[in-house]
Amino acid sequence: MISLPTVFVEGYSTGVDTGQNKKTARLHMTRELAAIPAVLFSNKHAIDPATHTHTRKRTPPPHRTARRAARDPPPSPPYKISANPRVRRTGSPPAAAPPPPPAMANGGGGAGNGEARKAGAGASVLVTGGAGYIGTHTVLRLLEKGYAVAVVDNFHNSVPEALDRVRLIAGPALSARLVFIPGDLKSKDDMEKVFAAKRYDAVIHFAGLKAVGESVAHPQMYYENNVAGTMNLYAAMTKYGCNKIVFSSSATVYGQPEKTPCVEDSKLSALNPYGTTKLVLENYFRQVQAADPELRVILLRYFNPIGAHRSGDIGEDPRGIPNNLLPYIQQVAVGRRPELNVYGDDYPTRDGTAIRDYIHVVDLADGHIAALEKLFATPDIGCVAYNLGTGCGTTVLEVVKAFEEASGKKIPIKICPRRPGDCTEVYASTEKAKKELGWSARFGIEDMCRDQWNWARKNPYGYSGDADEKN
Ligand SMILES: NC(=O)c1ccc[n+]([C@@H]2O[C@H](COP(=O)([O-])OP(=O)(O)OC[C@H]3O[C@@H](n4cnc5c(N)ncnc54)[C@H](O)[C@@H]3O)[C@@H](O)[C@H]2O)c1
């Protein structure tokens, strides 16, 4: 996450790791554990989430799996808009063996739509932090593309409901290929259990803390969670022979960019502890990859993810005061906050407010699919960084206007002085991702604001729907 300059009120988020947050996470974990059947996995080993012990399961011989794949019809259309998603819960995934991935069911096509089969389709992917904002959207795309997905999350900044919504949108056939494993990357034991229970072909690693202000107040917490957590993850990966990882980096590693657009080989720096953890982890992956040539790593530097799935059933649901522009605007639009503070209207830009590169979260999710396919197709890829942005800069006032048009709501703003450390303009060079991943963003700022508003309108208080809890 790059720090957004011209927005936000009352300073940074206060959503620190309070006892209350821990208590909530524990409650969520208990609920989720109770909802998960004892046997989660369809392959040789299964984990009992209540005891974290392993049970043996019989795997059908490959020829039988192939015959079943040829016989089973492609999955039913996954997408259904819910009038009131909060009252419909999909429950936990069935314990029965999941159906074959669509890529196999249709004889090698993509997710039932006639696409050529992509490298890695049908593979098993572990998604850390998959219950979070970007995670949920990516998990959904993975399922739609025929991957089997396991999510590990400690619900520090998310809720089980988010994964229920993913299952709801995906439909029962695809949801059968999604399992949830409660776990904390800070725990070596948890990581050991996750990898001992099942073989994963690749990992997408989202789990991390991301609030800049919080990282300034609690750097130790950020190093422990982001850096030590990633080291635990990688140690378990290597021990169990998983050699592909997509890592959530951020445009924050460009620090105060010397020139824009930001190209991947620009000088890197960090402006705060959060940014430093991303920089440290980029270097960490470069170094461990150099020592282990079998390892394949893609570092994805996100610019400013906004928007939501078009159903409006999943989206960003920050705890406490939002750190990012769009969640803040959305809360003003639904009456949760009186106005938007805009920090600085005297930048040398077209309207005086700072410029950022906003990217639709669904485009971002597709960028992960492209990265995964690249990892599967390129054994000697090493460790490579790609920007995920649109290449277009938008000012804060332009975002406000686009949101007003999408929502029909007036967003009151208050102009405040610039904040120290904020830069004038940050946007991505997109050439490398386009050329090497075959990926580029499809959605514009109007689409992003439309989908953000749809999510806000349907879920004004986020997943919980509870005004008291959220304000
Ligand atoms: N959203 C952005 O603006 C942005 C921009 C650039 C980079 N990123 C990075 O992308 C990743 C995902 O971001 P997001 O917006 O989806 O954040 P998020 O907070 O919504 O999701 C992160 C998820 O990881 C989980 N998590 C955190 N620490 C964990 C741990 N120790 N063990 C298990 N689970 C843990 C949280 O509970 C949450 O579900 C983060 O690493 C973030 O730094 C985000």
Side-chain angles (χ1 to χ4, degrees):
M1 180 188 66
I2 190 156
S3 103
L4 277 167
T6 39
V7 240
F8 331 136
V9 287
E10 293 119 44
Y12 289 111
S13 162
T14 54
V16 295
D17 186 18
T18 59
Q20 183 58 41
N21 275 354
K22 282 186 187 145
K23 193 171 138 204
T24 314
R26 270 201 304 276
L27 286 173
H28 290 322
M29 300 237 319
T30 311
R31 195 180 104 195
E32 188 79 13
L33 278 168
I36 296 173
V39 176
L40 289 173
F41 301 118
S42 62
N43 75 344
K44 221 159 73 182
H45 296 86
I47 195 167
D48 177 341
T51 61
H52 266 175
T53 54
H54 303 143
T55 53
R56 301 282 293 184
K57 268 194 89 187
R58 291 231 321 267
T59 309
H63 66 271
R64 221 189 292 161
T65 312
R67 272 209 304 274
R68 194 182 58 206
R71 190 188 62 219
D72 286 354
S76 55
Y79 173 63
K80 201 157 82 183
I81 297 182
S82 59
N84 183 358
R86 258 199 308 281
V87 299
R88 289 202 280 132
R89 301 183 65 84
T90 51
S92 27
M104 288 157 72
N106 66 10
N113 62 2
E115 283 175 38
R117 184 169 183 183
K118 301 286 190 176
S124 168
V125 181
L126 179 72
V127 181
T128 75
Y133 172 46
I134 305 169
T136 43
H137 291 82
T138 305
V139 166
L140 182 59
R141 290 304 276 150
L142 286 166
L143 294 171
E144 289 169 354
K145 291 282 179 181
Y147 290 91
V149 181
V151 167
V152 60
D153 205 301
N154 64 357
F155 295 127
H156 176 87
N157 196 36
S158 54
V159 290
E161 172 75 14
L163 287 175
D164 287 348
R165 300 277 187 95
V166 170
R167 294 185 187 110
L168 177 76
I169 300 167
L174 295 186
S175 296
R177 296 179 62 74
L178 170 62
V179 295
F180 173 70
I181 309 164
D184 189 329
L185 273 73
K186 296 193 293 303
S187 158
K188 287 182 181 162
D189 277 1
D190 282 5
M191 290 302 97
E192 169 74 26
K193 283 167 188 157
V194 166
F195 282 90
K198 183 178 180 349
R199 190 181 178 287
Y200 296 103
D201 299 304
V203 172
I204 300 183
H205 177 29
F206 292 111
L209 305 178
K210 60 169 185 177
V212 169
E214 184 183 68
S215 79
V216 173
H218 302 276
Q220 175 75 11
M221 187 169 111
Y222 271 65
Y223 280 88
E224 275 173 7
N225 195 82
N226 294 6
V227 179
T230 302
M231 291 169 67
N232 293 340
L233 171 71
Y234 174 66
M237 284 176 65
T238 44
K239 179 171 173 189
Y240 288 94
C242 178
N243 70 342
K244 299 172 205 71
I245 183 163
V246 178
F247 170 63
S248 297
S249 187
S250 165
T252 194
V253 298
Y254 293 115
Q256 294 269 10
E258 281 168 8
K259 61 180 171 57
T260 46
C262 302
V263 285
E264 283 84 346
D265 59 2
S266 304
K267 204 173 124 216
L268 304 180
S269 66
L271 302 172
N272 50 62
Y274 165 70
T276 310
T277 64
K278 293 295 179 193
L279 209 49
V280 165
L281 287 170
E282 284 207 1
N283 286 331
Y284 170 73
F285 278 118
R286 278 185 210 99
Q287 289 167 2
V288 291
Q289 197 288 323
D292 173 9
E294 297 287 301
L295 184 63
R296 310 179 198 181
V297 187
I298 288 185
L299 313 168
L300 293 179
R301 295 180 186 152
Y302 314 152
F303 280 67
N304 296 91
I306 61 170
H309 186 262
R310 68 185 189 279
S311 64
D313 287 345
I314 54 174
E316 186 168 11
D317 183 17
R319 292 193 172 165
I321 298 166
N323 286 290
N324 289 348
L325 176 59
L326 259 289
Y328 207 102
I329 293 180
Q330 120 180 13
Q331 292 194 4
V332 174
V334 299
R336 286 171 63 180
R337 312 220 175 255
E339 63 193 3
L340 173 76
N341 282 6
V342 173
Y343 290 94
D345 66 348
D346 55 352
Y347 285 99
T349 63
R350 45 191 176 266
D351 60 20
T353 63
I355 288 178
R356 294 291 179 272
D357 184 341
Y358 298 93
I359 174 169
H360 198 298
V361 66
V362 171
D363 274 333
L364 202 67
D366 283 338
H368 289 76
I369 307 288
L372 212 49
E373 287 167 356
K374 180 81 175 173
L375 285 184
F376 278 104
T378 323
D380 60 351
I381 188 166
C383 178
V384 188
Y386 294 100
N387 289 338
L388 292 185
T390 62
C392 301
T394 308
T395 69
V396 173
L397 293 183
E398 286 166 350
V399 175
V400 171
K401 185 162 179 285
F403 193 89
E404 286 180 338
E405 276 165 16
S407 64
K409 303 272 181 191
K410 182 78 193 143
I411 306 295
I413 61 167
K414 184 169 149 206
I415 302 294
C416 305
R418 290 186 193 188
R419 293 188 311 190
D422 286 343
C423 359
T424 304
E425 176 180 72
V426 184
Y427 65 96
S429 161
T430 56
E431 290 311 305
K432 188 176 175 191
K434 193 172 179 180
K435 190 164 156 227
E436 297 181 17
L437 299 179
W439 171 91
S440 50
R442 294 176 297 148
F443 297 109
I445 195 75
E446 293 77 16
D447 307 304
M448 301 179 213
C449 289
R450 178 200 60 214
D451 293 341
Q452 183 92 30
W453 172 238
N454 192 32
W455 155 251
R457 193 178 53 78
K458 289 175 79 170
N459 305 275
Y461 288 90
Y463 288 113
S464 79
D466 185 343
D468 293 339
E469 189 187 308
K470 301 304 285 199
N471 278 328

